[in-house]
Amino acid sequence: MPAPESNRATNVLAAIANGPRDPFEIATCQIAPPQAGEVLVRVHACGICHTDLAVKLQHIPIPMPKVLGHEGAGVVEEVGPGVTQVRPGDHVLMSFGSCGECPNCRDGALGYCDHFRAVNLFGTRTGGSVLMRNGSELGGHFFAQSAFATHAIATTRNVIKIGDDLPLELVAPLGCGVQTGMGTVINVLRPRPGTSIAVFGVGAVGLSAIIAAGIVGCSTIIAVDVVPERLRVAQELGATHAVSGRADDPAAEIVEVTQGGANFSLDTTGVPAAATNSINCLRARGICAQVAAPPRGTLYAAEASVLVGRGLTVRGVVEGDANPKLFIPRMIGLFRDGRLPLDKFVKTYPLEKINEAVDDLEHGRVVKPVLTMREIGSVV
Ligand SMILES: [Zn+2]
Ligand SMILES: [Zn+2]
């Protein structure tokens, strides 16, 4: 007799994080069918973001084993009961999840959902585990997706329908990293044309911020990083100046370049010294955004006379303050216009090469690794 519909599970391949020092393990596991409000996505590509690595390293303590991945892109394979927003065959990006019910969600501030940690980091889902292996629960539904796999269960709240002509492996990082960088500039800092901005750390988030700063018309765009190759890419993508993060006093160099300090700054590194420099490099009434997720307990130092005396604003930002259903289509418009050249910093790796991709990311050999699942036999 066939299994009842509710118990039906599909075999999928996933990269499993077992612990901080263990390499990712590629293994077959079982994914549950979509329930009400959910969507089963055949994943074609998923970017690797620093938050994936921070969780694997237990900088953010989440129970293991777990399937990570939160920049998934793919094609809807099946929808749960009552789902009308997307249908099988639709191409979608997956972004972060949100509850939709709390005061911040109702106010449109989805990145500050009261249940952000539960929904995204812990992957809480009503109706039990999304993924099982050998009969035991496997942490799934990370960021309402767990997309380091051939299939993912997402929700109608975090899938964004996109054109089926778009290259999924290039647009996948729009779901988190690129959205964080561009959104912080466009939605939060909102620089006027002709102003200056310093971006600390020019990985995928920082480069996206630099591209956005160029789009909104900043005339002085300063990239700060410890990796010379990244500074070169940043200049190719619009940075007008490059400052080595290993300089004696990067903030002083920025003050000199800008003749008195930058109007805006952004720290993507979460390194306390860089965060402090991102405050110290500002001119009076400057605004600084902090977007990194360093280990719990990390403190950023700001000198009171600088903070108060210059009338500075320092603001934490999650996911670029973006509502992905509105902001991702805007970024896709920029991509189509050739103003968001994702191909300049995305490099693809097949899912089974995830450990090589992570190693390359950790050693600065790649800016944005994107895993691809096209060639892997899906349903076993
Ligand atoms: Zn909420
Ligand atoms: Zn991320």
Coordinates of all heavy atoms in Angstrom, one line a residue, residues 54 59-60 267 269-272 291-300:
A54 N 29.5 30.8 10.4 CA 29.5 31.2 11.8 C 28.7 30.2 12.6 O 29.0 29.8 13.7 CB 28.9 32.6 11.9
H59 N 29.8 29.8 16.4 CA 29.8 31.2 16.9 C 28.4 31.6 17.3 O 28.2 32.4 18.1 CB 30.4 32.1 15.8 CG 31.8 31.9 15.5 ND1 32.5 32.5 14.5 CD2 32.8 31.2 16.2 CE1 33.7 32.1 14.5 NE2 33.9 31.3 15.5
I60 N 27.5 31.1 16.6 CA 26.1 31.2 16.9 C 25.7 29.8 17.3 O 25.6 28.9 16.4 CB 25.2 31.7 15.8 CG1 25.8 33.1 15.3 CG2 23.8 31.9 16.2 CD1 25.3 33.6 13.9
D267 N 30.5 48.8 8.4 CA 31.5 47.7 8.7 C 30.8 46.3 8.5 O 29.8 46.0 9.0 CB 31.9 47.7 10.1 CG 32.9 46.6 10.4 OD1 33.9 46.5 9.8 OD2 32.6 45.7 11.3
T269 N 32.8 43.5 8.7 CA 33.7 42.5 9.2 C 33.4 41.9 10.5 O 33.7 40.8 10.8 CB 35.2 43.1 9.2 OG1 35.2 44.0 10.3 CG2 35.6 43.7 7.9
G270 N 32.8 42.7 11.4 CA 32.6 42.3 12.8 C 33.9 42.2 13.6 O 33.9 41.7 14.7
V271 N 35.0 42.6 13.0 CA 36.3 42.7 13.7 C 36.3 44.0 14.6 O 36.1 45.1 14.0 CB 37.5 42.7 12.8 CG1 38.8 42.9 13.5 CG2 37.5 41.4 11.9
P272 N 36.4 43.9 15.9 CA 36.2 45.1 16.7 C 37.1 46.3 16.3 O 36.6 47.4 16.3 CB 36.6 44.6 18.1 CG 36.2 43.1 18.1 CD 36.5 42.7 16.7
V291 N 26.8 45.7 10.2 CA 26.0 44.7 9.6 C 26.5 43.2 9.9 O 25.8 42.3 9.6 CB 25.8 44.8 8.1 CG1 25.4 46.3 7.8 CG2 27.1 44.5 7.3
A292 N 27.7 43.1 10.5 CA 28.2 41.8 10.7 C 27.6 41.0 11.9 O 26.9 41.6 12.7 CB 29.7 41.9 10.9
A293 N 27.8 39.7 11.9 CA 27.3 38.9 13.0 C 28.5 38.2 13.7 O 28.7 37.0 13.5 CB 26.2 37.9 12.5
P294 N 29.3 38.9 14.5 CA 30.4 38.3 15.1 C 30.0 37.4 16.3 O 28.8 37.4 16.6 CB 31.2 39.5 15.6 CG 30.2 40.6 15.8 CD 29.1 40.3 14.8
P295 N 30.9 36.6 16.8 CA 30.6 35.7 17.9 C 29.9 36.5 19.1 O 30.2 37.7 19.3 CB 31.9 35.1 18.4 CG 32.8 35.3 17.2 CD 32.3 36.5 16.5
R296 N 29.0 35.8 19.8 CA 28.3 36.4 20.9 C 29.3 36.9 21.9 O 30.3 36.3 22.1 CB 27.3 35.4 21.6 CG 26.2 35.0 20.7 CD 25.2 34.3 21.4 NE 24.1 35.2 21.9 CZ 23.0 34.8 22.5 NH1 22.9 33.5 22.7 NH2 22.1 35.6 22.9
G297 N 29.0 38.1 22.5 CA 30.0 38.6 23.5 C 30.9 39.6 22.9 O 31.6 40.3 23.6
T298 N 31.0 39.7 21.6 CA 31.8 40.7 20.9 C 31.4 42.1 21.3 O 30.2 42.4 21.2 CB 31.8 40.5 19.4 OG1 32.2 39.2 19.1 CG2 32.7 41.5 18.7
L299 N 32.4 43.0 21.7 CA 32.1 44.4 22.0 C 32.8 45.3 21.0 O 33.9 45.0 20.6 CB 32.5 44.7 23.4 CG 31.9 43.9 24.6 CD1 32.5 44.4 25.9 CD2 30.4 44.1 24.6
Y300 N 32.1 46.3 20.6 CA 32.7 47.3 19.7 C 33.0 48.6 20.6 O 32.1 49.0 21.3 CB 31.7 47.8 18.6 CG 31.4 46.7 17.6 CD1 30.2 46.7 16.9 CD2 32.3 45.6 17.3 CE1 29.9 45.8 16.0 CE2 32.0 44.7 16.4 CZ 30.8 44.7 15.7 OH 30.5 43.8 14.8

